[in-house]
Amino acid sequence: MARVINFYAGPAGLPLPALEKAQRELLDFNGAGMSVMEISHRAKEYDAVHSEAIALVKELLAVPDDFKILLIQGGGNLQFGMLPMNYLGDGRVADYIDTGNWAKKAYKEAKIVVGDAAKLAATTEAEQYARLPRPDEIRRTPGATYLHFCSNNTIEGTQWQAFPDGAGVPLACDMSSDIMWRPFDVRPFGIIYAGAQKNLGPSGVTVVIIRDDFLAQARVDKLTTYLRYAIHAEKNSLYNTPPCFGIYILRNVLEYNKSIGGLAEIERRNREKGRLLYGMIDRHPDFFRSTVSNQADRSFMNVTFRLPTEELDAKFVAEAKKAGMVGLKGYRTVGGIRVSTYNAVSVDDVKTLVSFMEEFLRTNG
Ligand SMILES: *Cc1c(COP(=O)(O)O)cnc(C)c1O
């Protein structure tokens, strides 16, 4: 079996032990005589997986007891609409920070639902999102229900190394592409959501972490049942059939994350990966041209750069593929190169890529 080195941005690579466990258990899950896909979501065998996945999210992120962990379908995109549907309108407004494609989409989806109740607090679009806004550029609306931002801009390669200051307003965050890249303090957040397919598991599961006092402010009127956060909290994410197999893989990934030392060890590896890749870029900035203007905003999850010509970009992607490395092409609207170095990408994988970059520079630079 030949596994490639996977730098896809999402869906993305998963830790091999998590997949191997699924392979071993596929036909006969825990002696049930069937796969976990074939078991009722109300059965005790599935319930154990469901509870364990939720408990592991809680444990790995040290989520305090006054938060609920929900597992919802519909991806990050459903959350873009579900959040304002649950919270805004009837006089309630929220601030949005626009730092890239996904952050902007969250803002635009909110505007579809609630119009001007979604306020644009800051944007760096005029600079092609090459940096994050400075604190003094963020215009806050007094009395806002939440302050929304995207912790890691998957396409543009920027990441908030310190989160914006909520100043008492609950933070609402799209963490789809960097949740669990390191430990962080969950308490200032009213809500965090993350599609699993970047850093946690397969597509089809969205992890939502919501604070009880924030949950209590959500509306339930005029919302069909599935769209209410409250129903998922009340039913422990078993209101309807959950994505059982996706949750099972999520469980395997989190169990593996715990086994290697939890998020402290994962952060150490991610920082080492960043040091290796950015070290290479910074030694040859005229060839590996960073798309991020403020170094302090560079992402540890998606490293973006351009080569001197588009032809070289294409050649880089093609030759890397021949060398067993896939997924390096930049996002379709942006171009260039994007190296997604999520948790499942090892330090050795990045070393292999950096050696390839050295060789590519030697023959094409
Ligand atoms: C991939 C991504 C999304 C889109 O997620 P879907 O699950 O496909 O809806 C949203 N936000 C961020 C930050 C992403 O990286």
Side-chain angles (χ1 to χ4, degrees):
M1 180 190 60
R3 299 257 310 161
V4 294
I5 297 181
N6 185 344
F7 294 112
Y8 272 122
L14 295 170
L16 191 57
L19 295 177
E20 286 171 335
K21 179 167 179 163
Q23 187 180 43
R24 282 195 304 278
E25 293 183 339
L26 188 64
L27 300 184
D28 183 6
F29 177 69
N30 271 350
M34 47 191 161
S35 79
V36 72
M37 280 178 276
E38 302 168 291
I39 299 173
S40 164
H41 61 294
R42 309 282 174 201
K44 67 174 189 326
E45 292 96 336
Y46 175 71
D47 194 59
V49 171
H50 192 86
S51 309
E52 212 183 324
I54 290 170
L56 281 162
V57 172
K58 212 172 164 190
E59 181 181 347
L60 285 165
L61 281 171
V63 179
D65 283 339
D66 60 330
F67 283 78
K68 299 281 183 296
I69 300 188
L70 316 177
L71 304 173
I72 302 181
Q73 303 195 48
N77 272 276
L78 179 62
Q79 294 308 306
F80 295 160
M82 193 167 153
L83 176 63
M85 282 181 199
N86 274 260
Y87 286 96
L88 304 185
D90 300 334
R92 292 201 284 183
V93 305
D95 285 331
Y96 278 78
I97 303 178
D98 172 25
T99 52
N101 177 86
W102 296 119
K104 185 176 184 183
K105 202 161 174 206
Y107 169 62
K108 285 171 86 175
E109 293 287 296
K111 282 192 86 70
I112 293 174
V113 183
V114 296
D116 291 344
K119 310 278 184 199
L120 187 62
T123 177
T124 51
E125 188 174 13
E127 294 170 47
Q128 286 78 48
Y129 300 118
R131 65 175 180 91
L132 299 175
R134 295 183 307 272
D136 64 287
E137 293 174 306
I138 301 172
R139 295 175 306 273
R140 311 288 298 273
T141 309
T145 299
Y146 58 80
L147 170 64
H148 185 277
F149 71 106
C150 177
S151 54
N152 182 70
N153 298 286
T154 324
I155 294 169
E156 296 81 6
T158 59
Q159 183 179 40
W160 293 84
Q161 299 305 325
F163 297 130
D165 181 7
V169 171
L171 297 175
C173 188
D174 176 2
M175 290 198 185
S176 291
S177 56
D178 72 348
I179 189 167
M180 294 206 194
W181 85 277
R182 63 167 175 185
F184 67 93
D185 183 6
V186 174
R187 285 171 301 181
F189 291 86
I191 184 167
I192 293 164
Y193 59 89
Q197 70 272 21
K198 290 8 185 305
N199 220 12
L200 295 178
S203 61
V205 188
T206 309
V207 174
V208 174
I209 303 172
I210 189 165
R211 205 169 65 205
D212 286 343
D213 63 341
F214 191 67
L215 180 64
Q217 296 171 38
R219 72 148 52 83
V220 291
D221 63 306
K222 293 189 217 152
L223 276 185
T224 58
T225 313
Y226 192 85
L227 294 175
R228 302 174 193 164
Y229 288 113
I231 194 79
H232 298 290
E234 185 189 322
K235 303 288 185 188
N236 190 30
S237 303
L238 286 164
Y239 164 66
N240 70 332
T241 318
C244 300
F245 191 68
I247 291 169
Y248 163 77
I249 299 287
L250 169 69
R251 192 282 309 259
N252 287 5
V253 172
L254 298 181
E255 184 180 67
Y256 171 76
N257 287 351
K258 186 179 164 182
S259 77
I260 60 172
L263 300 193
E265 172 59 17
I266 285 175
E267 176 175 17
R268 192 192 64 74
R269 294 179 190 190
N270 283 331
R271 290 198 181 277
E272 175 66 5
K273 283 147 54 182
R275 194 186 64 75
L276 289 165
L277 258 175
Y278 286 120
M280 181 68 196
I281 288 169
D282 291 343
R283 281 193 299 282
H284 307 286
D286 296 332
F287 192 72
F288 300 110
R289 301 172 178 180
S290 175
T291 63
V292 179
S293 60
N294 180 9
Q295 286 208 1
D297 296 338
R298 296 194 299 198
S299 169
F300 283 86
M301 295 281 100
N302 308 96
V303 177
T304 52
F305 55 88
R306 284 198 182 81
L307 299 178
T309 65
E310 283 181 21
E311 289 68 36
L312 280 173
D313 286 338
K315 191 175 177 195
F316 183 92
V317 172
E319 290 191 1
K321 191 164 183 196
K322 276 189 217 141
M325 289 172 278
V326 303
L328 290 164
K329 200 167 172 319
Y331 191 74
R332 53 197 156 80
T333 55
V334 179
I337 307 293
R338 170 171 56 174
V339 189
S340 297
T341 54
Y342 301 128
N343 292 351
V345 173
S346 71
V347 173
D348 279 347
D349 292 342
V350 171
K351 283 183 180 160
T352 305
L353 176 65
V354 168
S355 303
F356 170 82
M357 288 165 75
E358 265 158 12
E359 182 60 21
F360 192 84
L361 171 67
R362 207 179 54 75
T363 48
N364 298 280

